[in-house]
Amino acid sequence: MNTNFVSSLQSGLDDLAAKGTLKKLNYLASPQAARVQMEGRGEVLILSSNNYLGLCNEPEVVEAGIGALRQYGAGTASVRFICGTFTVHRELEAALARFVGTQAAMSYVSAWNANEGLTATIVEEGDFVVSDALNHASIIDSIRLAKAITKCTTGVYQHSDLDDLVAKLKANQSARRRIIWTDGVFSMEGSIAKLPQILQIAKDHDAIVVMDDSHATGVLGRTGRGTAEHFGVLGEVDVITSTLGKALGGAAGGFVAGPAALCDTLTQRSRPQLFSNALPPTVAASSLAAVEFLESHPERVTTLRENANYFRAAIKEAGFNPLDGETPIVPIIIGETADAIRMSEMLLAEGIFVTGFGFPVVPHGTARLRCQISAAHTRADLDYAVRAIQKVGRKAGVLR
Ligand SMILES: Cc1ncc(COP(=O)(O)O)c(C=O)c1O
């Protein structure tokens, strides 16, 4: 055992503890739902989950997973191209493509994997990849990986600053190809990418648009088809990636959706496809059931939107000033990381589970309580949460 290695890790953890920014794990003993059983605490109301549509414990979704466990067994025991492709993968991928409005889709074991597998496969030497400053860590790392492999050129434009985007594209007009990488919904802000303008800019500058819709799939648009549906531009984004770990049942998994030739290329060349096991069939089956459920129950999306609007108005009425937006992500800026974490602990004592996010997830000085609303919440849940946040805000001196 290398004791220096272990003691250097321990001193890093001690530093975080001294700053009050050490993350603590809370263990749940029941399914994700509006209210969950937290080990050692009993029932708490959850305001931190990506279970946007309440599908994590939807009977049809759960039963589909159980059925697949019986039909296909515990796992794939192989990567896709050897012997790990099951019929349920094909059904899921067809449903995902149909749902987000593309020719084809390819599943991965996570959206993180999908983003890394995609960028490293499509980017080549001489390309220019430009990324929104607030893009998710998986996009950032996917571009870093692609750059390390291909020596492509990369750039970052200020968050949603389209003049900056255009300037960066113009400066790289001689690149072999230009790729614009954006989140559909930015997870820490709850803001929505200016997609119609980005598509126009891409046309003007002969660029490819790649969008991660992880927080928009099942959430935005009248029927939950995501950012493109929200703006009425379904079918116009070159490549969409998203997760199965949030609105679509919440189990795990992600996907890339786009032209059939792209998905075929990923099958041939994307390294996570070639060297890592396929999505477990149980997860594929419950995700498929989630997509089908959503196709036949678009009213869930309406409930989610109404709940989010209700909470946003109520939290403003209670004296807070959350970041503006139209999504179910409602961030309440607190400032210092330790304060946000302390407030989140005080809220837990009130029976509300909402996570405080600080540096390095968000910039210094903008630590926040990120509230996430679900269609599973009742109005009584939301009222209770607002009252508790107000009480704790006063106690913590954040609210007068
Ligand atoms: C925008 C975005 N992309 C990708 C991911 C990663 O998703 P997954 O858990 O499927 O890897 C997340 C998860 O937080 C996300 O918010």
Side-chain angles (χ1 to χ4, degrees):
M1 174 73 74
N2 184 323
T3 49
N4 284 344
F5 171 56
V6 178
S7 63
S8 72
L9 292 175
Q10 191 55 52
S11 78
L13 293 170
D14 294 345
D15 276 355
L16 292 178
K19 288 184 198 135
T21 61
L22 196 64
K23 293 175 191 63
K24 296 194 187 100
L25 301 183
N26 292 303
Y27 290 83
L28 303 187
S30 66
Q32 283 284 1
R35 290 169 186 267
V36 296
Q37 292 297 322
M38 184 186 284
E39 196 178 63
R41 239 181 227 285
E43 186 179 276
V44 295
L45 173 61
I46 228 167
L47 271 191
S48 263
S49 173
N50 298 309
N51 181 25
Y52 289 119
L53 297 173
L55 296 185
C56 283
N57 65 345
E58 185 61 44
E60 283 170 53
V61 174
V62 176
E63 285 308 317
I66 295 169
L69 191 58
R70 294 218 174 86
Q71 182 177 350
Y72 299 105
T76 64
S78 173
V79 304
R80 287 288 289 262
F81 88 94
I82 300 180
C83 57
T85 302
F86 289 65
T87 50
V88 69
H89 288 125
R90 186 175 51 217
E91 289 170 47
L92 171 66
E93 287 158 1
L96 290 170
R98 178 177 75 232
F99 188 65
V100 301
T102 58
Q103 218 177 25
M106 170 59 67
S107 63
Y108 282 79
V109 293
S110 68
W112 187 290
N113 243 240
N115 287 345
E116 280 200 350
L118 168 74
T119 314
T121 303
I122 60 171
V123 172
E124 293 181 29
E125 189 173 356
D127 288 352
F128 172 62
V129 187
V130 65
S131 170
D132 187 290
L134 291 191
N135 273 348
H136 188 258
S138 58
I139 300 175
I140 297 169
D141 281 16
S142 83
I143 297 170
R144 287 177 177 157
L145 177 64
K147 187 172 187 171
I149 297 171
T150 66
K151 301 190 175 54
C152 66
T153 315
T154 61
V156 174
Y157 60 98
Q158 293 308 307
H159 176 49
S160 278
D161 180 338
L162 300 182
D163 291 337
D164 196 22
L165 170 60
V166 168
K168 300 233 151 60
L169 288 169
K170 277 189 178 154
N172 288 277
Q173 209 54 48
S174 62
R176 193 185 78 98
R177 268 189 328 202
R178 282 150 299 284
I179 296 166
I180 304 170
W181 231 133
T182 184
D183 268 330
V185 168
F186 295 86
S187 57
M188 285 298 139
E189 316 293 300
S191 54
I192 306 175
K194 296 172 181 163
L195 185 60
Q197 293 93 323
I198 291 174
L199 290 172
Q200 185 57 51
I201 289 169
K203 247 184 222 155
D204 295 345
H205 297 273
D206 187 23
I208 298 159
V209 176
V210 185
M211 179 174 73
D212 178 339
D213 236 10
S214 290
H215 283 277
T217 304
V219 172
L220 286 190
R222 194 182 60 77
T223 60
R225 287 174 156 74
T227 308
E229 187 186 26
H230 175 79
F231 286 114
V233 292
L234 265 180
E236 292 185 34
V237 181
D238 296 293
V239 186
I240 293 171
T241 71
S242 190
T243 185
L244 304 171
K246 302 191 194 298
L248 295 180
F255 63 93
V256 173
L262 169 67
C263 294
D264 291 346
T265 302
L266 295 174
T267 301
Q268 301 304 317
R269 293 194 25 233
S270 169
R271 288 167 75 82
Q273 292 288 339
L274 299 180
F275 297 108
S276 185
N277 269 10
L279 189 69
T282 47
V283 175
S286 46
S287 305
L288 171 61
V291 175
E292 289 171 350
F293 183 92
L294 184 49
E295 285 174 324
S296 54
H297 295 87
E299 70 279 3
R300 275 287 170 109
V301 186
T302 313
T303 306
L304 172 62
R305 190 168 309 119
E306 288 172 356
N307 276 357
N309 290 344
Y310 180 82
F311 180 81
R312 202 178 276 282
I315 203 80
K316 279 187 185 163
E317 180 71 29
F320 288 96
N321 194 13
L323 294 184
D324 270 340
E326 300 172 71
T327 70
I329 298 173
V330 185
I332 303 175
I333 304 296
I334 305 298
E336 292 310 313
T337 303
D339 290 340
I341 292 179
R342 191 165 53 90
M343 260 188 88
S344 122
E345 280 164 4
M346 288 164 76
L347 277 163
L348 206 45
E350 299 291 327
I352 306 289
F353 188 176
V354 56
T355 310
F357 287 92
F359 185 78
V361 180
V362 296
H364 277 301
T366 70
R368 62 201 63 191
L369 290 175
R370 184 181 66 167
C371 303
Q372 285 171 280
I373 307 306
S374 168
H377 289 127
T378 62
R379 290 294 157 94
D381 289 335
L382 298 175
D383 290 341
Y384 178 72
V386 170
R387 279 197 302 275
I389 296 172
Q390 194 176 35
K391 180 174 163 192
V392 165
R394 286 203 183 109
K395 250 198 221 167
V398 169
L399 199 64
R400 257 165 237 125

